[in-house]
Amino acid sequence: MSTGPGSDSPTRVAIACQGGGSHTAFTAGVLKRLLRECDNRSYELVGLSGTSGGAVCATAAWYGLADSGTDRAVGILDSIWRDFSARSPFDTVSNAWLVALAHFAARGGPLPLFSPYELPYTEAGRDRFLDTLETHIEFERVPELADKTSVDLILGAADVTEGEFTTFCNEAVTAETVLASAAIPTLFEAVEIDAHWYWDGLFSQNPPVRDFLTRPQKAAKKPDEIWIVQINPKHREDVPQSVEDIADRRNELAGNLSLYQEVYFIEKMNDLIERGSLPREYKPIDVEFIDLGSDLAAPTKVDRDPEFIERLLQRGQRRAERFLRGRP
């Protein structure tokens, strides 16, 4: 691939990773294959972004690449998802119970509602999340690595009290900012960072896309293409009618709302460029999607069964391979 006619330069790409709980194991599989392709110099990776589970994947991939290259990035992605999986006897039972409750609630079953501030296991869940990240990523090295890598890292979160979209970029990324991006408000307390409180980035940018264009990039390299790993399907064959199907579709549409606002921005910029309304140094940017598919119900976003996670990883690699084979 080249950046233009007669050019021998690789196509510059940025990869944006949508959030979606356990379904983002698919994203890890996609990244494993795409990073290999970039390593072969077919493409030049200039940015990674993510929200929620997508933020976990983007951060793991970015850290591994900046630390020692593609093999390291692939290894960290595999290790993190292995550790997130429910493997102990207690985890296996609690995971099955949580998935069953999620399906029951999606079918309209009455469940008592509790705030995460009222539940004793909230702090343990937060600590496990942070411990898993910090086992595989030395966050104290992020500023050093951010100085030497040419790849941007951008994570999305929502400022709860200010009602603003927030991104944490490059040297500002810590274990707490990844947690902030993934802090689902029904499961985690809001995450405090510099006197601001954050929730899951689903309520802001899911994932950040236009930041690849609007903020200063390293080495002034903006992408020629943005590849979006999409967890929530855009299209459904049928109108949902059952309580569970309606709940699933509401979850998907909510997860896609901010994404398509981000993509719309890119499309409007492209329109202005094509009409000659912007300076000639602006170039159109192609946006491509690699999607999970529409066969998984929303309650399985909390499923950490190891076999389920492994299937998603494998699916991600297959979909990425199909995507690359379809490239011109």
Side-chain angles (χ1 to χ4, degrees):
M1 299 293 295
S2 63
T3 57
S7 172
D8 293 327
S9 301
T11 298
R12 296 190 297 270
V13 301
I15 304 173
C17 306
Q18 190 178 48
S22 294
H23 288 184
T24 49
F26 168 83
T27 302
V30 170
L31 288 175
K32 287 168 63 176
R33 179 63 186 90
L34 296 185
L35 295 180
R36 296 288 187 198
E37 193 71 16
C38 293
D39 200 33
N40 292 334
R41 304 296 180 182
S42 300
Y43 302 95
E44 179 187 359
L45 183 65
V46 298
L48 286 161
S49 75
T51 292
S52 196
V56 173
C57 292
T59 303
W62 181 90
Y63 176 82
L65 287 171
D67 181 39
S68 55
T70 301
D71 288 342
R72 175 82 164 126
V74 169
I76 292 175
L77 285 165
D78 278 333
S79 297
I80 280 181
W81 280 100
R82 183 186 62 242
D83 288 354
F84 277 146
S85 299
R87 295 181 178 273
S88 70
F90 174 79
D91 258 1
T92 299
V93 172
S94 61
N95 180 67
W97 176 78
L98 182 60
V99 173
L101 280 181
H103 279 287
F104 180 69
R107 290 192 294 268
L111 289 177
L113 297 178
F114 296 98
S115 163
Y117 295 85
E118 301 170 337
L119 297 173
Y121 61 74
T122 300
E123 186 172 344
R126 181 200 64 198
D127 290 345
R128 176 176 176 176
F129 184 91
L130 292 172
D131 287 346
T132 300
L133 291 178
E134 292 171 341
T135 295
H136 302 286
I137 300 171
E138 298 177 77
F139 284 95
E140 65 273 13
R141 296 188 59 218
V142 166
E144 162 208 340
L145 296 174
D147 281 339
K148 78 173 190 178
T149 183
S150 60
V151 180
D152 276 309
L153 175 63
I154 306 168
L155 309 184
D159 189 321
V160 179
T161 57
E162 298 301 321
E164 295 179 348
F165 299 171
T166 300
T167 54
F168 300 102
C169 306
N170 298 323
E171 65 278 355
V173 171
T174 64
E176 285 72 23
T177 62
V178 180
L179 174 61
S181 182
I184 299 170
T186 54
L187 298 178
F188 290 100
E189 297 178 9
V191 178
E192 190 272 330
I193 300 172
D194 296 332
H196 287 260
W197 299 88
Y198 295 97
W199 273 349
D200 186 281
L202 166 67
F203 303 101
S204 58
Q205 295 156 286
N206 187 24
V209 175
R210 57 182 160 182
D211 289 74
F212 290 130
L213 312 183
T214 58
R215 65 178 304 278
Q217 282 77 24
K218 293 178 177 299
K221 288 186 176 181
K222 290 183 170 59
D224 302 305
E225 299 184 6
I226 297 174
W227 298 346
I228 298 173
V229 186
Q230 185 174 14
I231 300 302
N232 297 301
K234 178 179 182 180
H235 176 73
R236 284 283 184 183
E237 291 292 337
D238 302 309
V239 175
Q241 296 184 10
S242 71
V243 171
E244 186 167 12
D245 287 345
I246 291 170
D248 278 357
R249 192 57 178 154
R250 286 185 62 184
N251 180 280
E252 293 164 355
L253 292 174
N256 281 338
L257 178 62
S258 60
L259 168 61
Y260 287 116
Q261 291 173 337
E262 297 278 293
V263 173
Y264 177 76
F265 173 84
I266 305 296
E267 292 173 343
K268 292 301 292 182
M269 290 286 291
N270 287 344
D271 288 343
L272 292 172
I273 292 167
E274 290 173 4
R275 293 204 303 262
S277 301
L278 292 177
R280 295 181 63 182
E281 61 264 25
Y282 286 87
K283 303 295 181 185
I285 295 174
D286 292 332
V287 178
E288 304 287 348
F289 289 84
I290 307 170
D291 64 280
L292 169 64
S294 58
D295 60 315
L296 298 177
T300 61
K301 288 182 177 181
V302 300
D303 190 355
R304 296 183 296 114
D305 177 77
E307 292 185 3
F308 179 63
I309 296 298
E310 182 59 29
R311 289 199 302 272
L312 288 171
L313 286 164
Q314 294 299 324
R315 181 188 289 198
Q317 293 182 81
R318 291 194 303 271
R319 292 284 171 88
E321 182 63 39
R322 184 196 307 170
F323 169 78
L324 293 170
R325 285 201 307 267
R327 305 291 296 154

